[in-house]
Amino acid sequence: MRDSLTLLKSMVWVVVAILFGSCGSDVAVSNKRESHADSVIFEAGSQEDYKRMIVLADSFEQLGDISSLTANRWRGSATYRLGQYRTAEFYFKKALECEVLTEQDQISYNKSARRLSELLLIKGDFEGSLEVAMPAVAKMKETGIGSDIDYAILLNNIGCCELNLGRVHEASVSFYQAREHYRNRWQNDTVGRGVQEAVLGTVYTSQAYINTRRFEDALYWIDRTEMLLDRYRNLESDIRKDYIDEYQGQIEIMRAVANLGIDSTERAANAYHAFLETNYAKTSMGRINANDYLVRAGRYAEALANYRYLDQMLRERDIELTLDNIQLYLMPKLRANAAAGTVDSVRAMAIQLCDALDSAIVKNKMDDAAELATIYNTSQKEAKITQQQADMDRQRWVSSMVAMAIILVSFLVFIILRHRAAKRLAQAHKRLEEAHAQLQSAYDQLEETTAVKERIESELRIARDIQMSMVPGIFPIRDDLDIYAAMIPAKEVGGDLYGYLLMQDKLYFCVGDVSGKGVPASLFMAQATRLFRTLATQNMMPAEIATHMNAELSADNEAGMFVTMFIGLINLKNGRLDFCNCGHNPPVLGNSDGSGAFLQMEANAPIGLWPDLEYVGESVENVKGRPFFAYTDGLNEAENLQQEQFGDDRLLQILSNQRFSSAREVVETLKAEVKKHRNGAEPNDDLTMLCLKVR
């Protein structure tokens, strides 16, 4: 009997292990799903589809792929970009109320605290902003999870709040701490992004000291800003000259205002003169910002001349006349007219101000009502999700108890039968083992079927949600493959595209050129890129991909747009190249002796013109060791000042003389040759190149 009880206890622990022992693997799967969900939502945001971001956050939260904290962070980011600042504030606060359970939760907490403290700072709620930012900094130090940019922005927000609350010493400490984190950021950065972030941070710091009339401190931080801008100017990587010019202009205006604040009028005038030397001073935004100095200096005639560009600046920046923007732009203009004594202009401005205030108040009430409705709907939705999760937990608990009860009863019967007869005990034991094996098999099959079904349904749902995709900028690093591509866009022309998809030993790739110009071409390009990636993931041959893309893009194509494309598929094991050329320039395929020739191909029509076309595919048995180069007509048709084209012969000559060391070197060499051929002429078309070699 004692042996039977021991056996019973052992089997109970086995059951417990079966029911609850898979927690570790569940965590790993959960982390993978959360990372995938975050990348999908981020991609929707990069396409400025902010409403889709909210839909995706809701869906992934209901599926359990992301936590409530992360979901609220994404909702807050989306509504912030939509200009719904009250709703964004609501979501960020909801995020900070959630429990931090994972590393991803901590990252989402940091981002939410950054944005919420910024919103409260802009509103003038300095105490509220500090109550968000300071605990966030403490939590990052405690957990060790937080980037330098998170620290820098939060500390900068803290400094601005402390300065406005009269805590001058504490503000100085916070600003210096923020500066150190900005320094960590740009010291490890080779492309200039970190220096740009540091410039922006010190601009905010300088402006905060100006706004609180601490002009000596402002001049110190203005000098720090200029030092950072000089560092960016001297970077070896590509830099934006328009960025340097704009921020140099802002620095000179701040320096002029600060010097005027300490009665150093000559230095202020010199700084303003330096501002006028920038191109930024000639823009509508630069002219409006210049009035910060001109009004303080009493130069009202010049300020009023600049204010003539206010409407143009508002249109260019797509700025609505909200209550905040009326206070920021129209009221200073009214005061400038009043100070200048232009009675008629003051009258006209007063009427304009009244009309703008009336419209802004009405719109503000409508926006408030819409945002409050969103907040109410969100609360209802969260209550529903909570109830669903509670029901699921209850069902799991009941199922576990039923399973435990069934197994315990089965073992009790087994013990009783053992005492009656050894033969019957053996038979019963055998039947029990068979039943247990069948039950385990059925459970495994059910679990596998459910997981597969959920994964397929999730991927299909996500595929329907993603409408556009980005041109890839990162390329795989493999021993058997060298691939690199680049796209150099021209002004006001149709869009080129390229893409690749690497699935184990299969490499799909494409290069294309969309007809037309402007936004329609960009949208058509994005749709073509998305269709290529979607169809490639279904293991289709290039001709099938072209046929399906044509059927999709030619439907309701009233504008008559089309795209020429070269679509290829390489088996990296045997080197076989299957391809379909859809009205595109023939690529160049190199030979083992270093020479190269244009690939002879079937003449297919471009994609998108005529429905019901069946595209013809072709193949090359083995391209291993042979460089392959595809391009758009922005290469061979590039023109110099005499309108002479680069030409196919020159292309073949360069590729034949170019010793292949890497795909990137081939692309960079041709990029330099095209620039040399243009000799100062503006690009007449987009230029896209893709080079690869299977080793």
Side-chain angles (χ1 to χ4, degrees):
M1 186 67 182
R2 180 177 300 172
D3 292 341
S4 300
L5 291 174
T6 302
L7 180 60
L8 177 60
K9 292 179 180 178
S10 299
M11 295 311 298
V12 168
W13 284 111
V14 170
V15 172
V16 171
I18 292 173
L19 291 175
F20 304 110
S22 60
C23 293
S25 60
D26 288 346
V27 170
V29 173
S30 175
N31 289 340
K32 185 176 181 181
R33 290 203 308 264
E34 186 169 14
S35 176
H36 176 63
D38 271 342
S39 65
V40 171
I41 299 173
F42 177 82
E43 190 167 4
S46 68
Q47 301 298 321
E48 300 183 2
D49 196 349
Y50 305 120
K51 293 183 180 179
R52 178 60 59 191
M53 287 178 67
I54 298 172
V55 173
L56 289 171
D58 292 345
S59 300
F60 285 129
E61 183 184 14
Q62 290 182 12
L63 289 170
D65 289 350
I66 58 175
S67 66
S68 295
L69 195 160
T70 298
N72 280 312
R73 170 235 175 157
W74 285 120
R75 295 187 191 106
S77 298
T79 50
Y80 178 87
R81 294 295 183 184
L82 289 168
Q84 301 170 5
Y85 301 119
R86 177 179 293 182
T87 308
E89 182 179 331
F90 167 78
Y91 282 131
F92 288 133
K93 286 181 178 178
K94 293 285 290 182
L96 299 187
E97 291 170 0
C98 296
E99 186 177 2
V100 178
L101 299 175
T102 65
E103 181 176 343
Q104 181 58 46
D105 281 348
Q106 182 62 49
I107 294 172
S108 294
Y109 179 94
N110 300 343
K111 307 300 182 188
S112 300
R114 273 175 48 184
R115 189 65 75 183
L116 180 58
S117 67
E118 177 185 317
L119 284 169
L120 296 174
L121 173 62
I122 293 172
K123 284 173 55 177
D125 185 1
F126 306 122
E127 294 286 358
S129 182
L130 286 175
E131 290 174 359
V132 171
M134 296 184 77
V137 172
K139 189 180 285 287
M140 287 195 295
K141 290 180 180 178
E142 178 185 348
T143 61
I145 301 173
S147 64
D148 280 307
I149 192 60
D150 289 335
Y151 274 111
I153 293 177
L154 282 167
L155 288 167
N156 221 55
N157 292 346
I158 291 172
C160 290
C161 292
E162 290 171 333
L163 195 60
N164 280 279
L165 292 171
R167 306 174 191 171
V168 180
H169 175 70
E170 293 89 335
S172 177
V173 172
S174 298
F175 286 137
Y176 275 105
Q177 290 176 345
R179 177 185 175 185
E180 291 306 309
H181 285 286
Y182 279 125
R183 184 194 302 275
N184 294 339
R185 177 85 166 161
W186 56 254
Q187 281 183 337
N188 299 319
D189 177 34
T190 58
V191 297
R193 177 67 181 274
V195 184
Q196 288 179 305
E197 292 168 346
V199 169
L200 184 60
T202 51
V203 165
Y204 286 156
T205 303
S206 305
Q207 196 62 53
Y209 277 111
I210 289 175
N211 292 341
T212 53
R213 306 185 66 78
R214 302 190 66 83
F215 300 112
E216 292 284 0
D217 293 323
L219 287 170
Y220 170 83
W221 284 100
I222 291 167
D223 290 341
R224 302 286 80 71
T225 306
E226 189 164 36
M227 290 168 60
L228 286 167
L229 191 63
D230 287 339
R231 182 180 183 86
Y232 178 73
R233 184 184 284 113
N234 295 325
L235 286 176
E236 295 181 359
S237 59
D238 293 336
I239 58 174
R240 291 175 47 204
K241 293 183 179 180
D242 58 333
Y243 172 89
I244 294 173
D245 180 83
E246 177 180 345
Y247 275 90
Q248 187 66 52
Q250 292 191 32
I251 287 169
E252 299 300 346
I253 280 296
M254 290 192 298
R255 182 177 282 131
V257 172
N259 276 297
L260 201 62
I262 59 174
D263 296 327
S264 182
T265 55
E266 183 177 352
R267 289 182 179 179
N270 290 338
Y272 181 68
H273 180 73
F275 161 76
L276 294 177
E277 296 297 319
T278 66
N279 292 326
Y280 177 67
K282 302 174 181 62
T283 66
S284 59
M285 190 66 184
R287 293 176 187 272
I288 299 304
N289 286 346
N291 285 349
D292 289 347
Y293 164 74
L294 293 174
V295 172
R296 285 182 170 91
R299 297 164 66 169
Y300 300 115
E302 295 173 71
L304 293 180
N306 282 343
Y307 271 126
R308 292 201 302 268
Y309 293 88
L310 178 59
D311 291 339
Q312 177 184 340
M313 186 273 290
L314 294 175
R315 286 194 305 271
E316 291 174 350
R317 299 277 174 152
D318 197 20
I319 298 175
E320 294 185 10
L321 285 179
T322 61
L323 293 176
D324 290 337
N325 290 332
I326 289 172
Q327 183 183 23
L328 185 62
Y329 297 113
L330 295 189
M331 292 183 68
K333 180 179 179 181
L334 177 63
R335 293 192 185 100
N337 276 279
T342 56
V343 178
D344 292 338
S345 296
V346 169
R347 242 187 239 109
M349 273 300 304
I351 294 172
Q352 182 186 2
L353 189 62
C354 289
D355 291 341
L357 279 171
D358 184 60
S359 299
I361 290 171
V362 171
K363 186 177 185 303
N364 194 52
K365 289 180 179 179
M366 294 174 64
D367 290 344
D368 285 349
E371 292 188 22
L372 288 172
T374 300
I375 293 171
Y376 174 77
N377 291 335
T378 300
S379 300
Q380 296 291 92
K381 180 167 54 183
E382 289 179 346
K384 184 177 179 181
I385 292 172
T386 302
Q387 183 61 42
Q388 289 175 345
Q389 292 175 343
D391 292 341
M392 291 174 63
D393 292 340
R394 190 181 303 109
Q395 290 174 0
R396 292 192 189 101
W397 173 254
V398 171
S399 300
S400 301
M401 291 300 100
V402 170
M404 288 284 291
I406 291 173
I407 296 173
L408 288 173
V409 169
S410 299
F411 278 106
L412 286 173
V413 172
F414 166 74
I415 293 170
I416 294 172
L417 292 176
R418 183 181 180 184
H419 285 81
R420 292 183 178 179
K423 183 177 180 180
R424 293 172 62 189
L425 177 62
Q427 293 175 347
H429 181 68
K430 184 177 180 181
R431 287 196 299 269
L432 183 61
E433 285 183 340
E434 292 174 351
H436 182 268
Q438 291 174 358
L439 179 62
Q440 184 65 48
S441 177
Y443 176 82
D444 291 341
Q445 291 177 3
L446 177 61
E447 186 180 41
E448 182 179 356
T449 302
T450 302
V452 171
K453 181 181 178 182
E454 288 178 351
R455 183 171 66 253
I456 292 174
E457 290 178 349
S458 176
E459 289 177 356
L460 287 175
R461 181 168 53 254
I462 293 168
R464 287 193 300 269
D465 286 333
I466 299 175
Q467 297 178 351
M468 303 174 71
S469 62
M470 298 289 290
V471 171
I474 300 174
F475 301 94
I477 301 175
R478 291 174 57 124
D479 294 336
D480 58 350
L481 175 65
D482 184 6
I483 181 172
Y484 185 78
M487 183 172 71
I488 302 95
K491 298 178 181 179
E492 298 180 356
V493 293
D496 283 4
L497 63 95
Y498 72 84
Y500 76 87
L501 184 65
L502 184 60
M503 297 190 298
Q504 296 180 351
D505 293 317
K506 291 183 177 180
L507 173 68
Y508 284 90
F509 64 94
C510 72
V511 175
D513 186 357
V514 177
S515 66
K517 300 181 180 180
V519 174
S522 300
L523 294 174
F524 203 80
M525 177 202 75
Q527 191 177 10
T529 306
R530 174 184 61 83
L531 284 171
F532 163 75
R533 288 185 62 84
T534 301
L535 295 171
T537 58
Q538 300 177 24
N539 290 308
M540 290 185 178
M541 296 298 287
E544 290 182 274
I545 293 175
T547 300
H548 282 76
M549 287 182 65
N550 182 69
E552 182 71 20
L553 294 176
S554 61
D556 300 324
N557 186 8
E558 297 179 358
M561 298 188 71
F562 62 88
V563 56
T564 66
M565 286 188 75
F566 182 91
I567 304 173
L569 165 61
I570 296 181
N571 187 317
L572 299 181
K573 285 186 175 180
N574 57 29
R576 178 183 175 87
L577 167 64
D578 290 286
F579 65 89
C580 179
N581 187 62
C582 310
H584 197 72
N585 300 69
V588 179
L589 181 61
N591 298 312
S592 57
D593 59 359
S595 63
F598 292 111
L599 195 61
Q600 298 300 316
M601 300 175 297
E602 183 75 23
N604 285 306
I607 294 173
L609 286 176
W610 302 285
D612 302 325
L613 286 181
E614 290 291 335
Y615 283 77
V616 177
E618 301 172 80
S619 64
V620 177
E621 283 302 317
N622 191 351
V623 296
K624 282 191 175 182
R626 304 174 67 184
F628 180 91
F629 182 77
Y631 58 97
T632 61
D633 55 13
L635 174 61
N636 58 326
E637 295 181 6
E639 295 180 349
N640 57 17
L641 294 171
Q642 290 75 38
Q643 296 185 336
E644 297 170 342
Q645 293 190 346
F646 190 80
D648 294 338
D649 294 338
R650 189 195 304 263
L651 171 60
L652 282 179
Q653 181 182 4
I654 293 172
L655 290 176
S656 297
N657 295 335
Q658 169 76 15
R659 180 181 179 86
F660 185 93
S661 60
S662 72
R664 179 166 188 165
E665 183 177 336
V666 172
V667 172
E668 294 297 337
T669 297
L670 279 167
K671 189 191 300 183
E673 289 292 336
V674 170
K675 183 177 181 181
K676 179 181 177 181
H677 171 73
R678 288 199 184 105
N679 193 27
E682 289 294 325
N684 56 310
D685 201 353
D686 293 348
L687 170 58
T688 299
M689 297 176 284
L690 182 147
C691 184
L692 63 87
K693 184 177 183 181
V694 180
R695 299 189 179 92

